[in-house]
């Protein structure tokens, strides 16, 4: 496998391992804050009468400044872990 942070090949020590180690996992998490890599727990999921799905996320105070840059109508990528 190739580590998505340092681009070096590594042998996963456990199933579903994405990064070569904890340093890269933490560094990647920090590097992606504010650029679409926000992490937040899902609080509510509602199916609207139109059939669309409304999802509410709750951000901790230290990440709220990044969440506020999200605007209604903005297209973002949602990745489930
Ligand atoms: Zn790495």
């Amino acid at each position: 496998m190739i580590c998505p942070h340092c681009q070096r090949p590594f042998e996963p020590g456990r199933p579903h391992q994405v990064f070569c180690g904890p340093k890269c996992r933490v560094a990647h998490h920090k590097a992606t804050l504010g650029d679409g890599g926000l992490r937040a727990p899902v609080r509510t999921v509602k199916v609207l009468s139109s059939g669309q799905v409304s999802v509410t996320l709750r951000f901790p105070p230290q990440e709220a400044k990044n969440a506020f840059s999200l605007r209604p109508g903005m297209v973002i990528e949602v990745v489930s872990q």
Side-chain angles (χ1 to χ4, degrees), residues 27-39 62-63 65-66:
H28 194 80
H29 176 74
K30 286 182 179 168
T32 55
L33 285 177
D35 70 354
L38 287 172
R39 272 75 172 172
Q62 65 271 24
E63 292 183 11
K65 66 181 188 301
N66 296 321

Side-chain angles (χ1 to χ4, degrees), residues 8-54:
R8 284 193 288 250
F10 70 99
E11 287 297 320
R14 58 184 170 76
H16 311 302
Q17 182 175 343
V18 174
F19 299 97
C20 65
K23 277 187 184 173
C24 275
R25 182 171 50 78
V26 172
H28 194 80
H29 176 74
K30 286 182 179 168
T32 55
L33 285 177
D35 70 354
L38 287 172
R39 272 75 172 172
V42 174
R43 298 296 295 191
T44 62
V45 178
K46 288 183 199 164
V47 179
L48 307 177
S49 57
S50 64
Q52 291 182 305
V53 178
S54 173

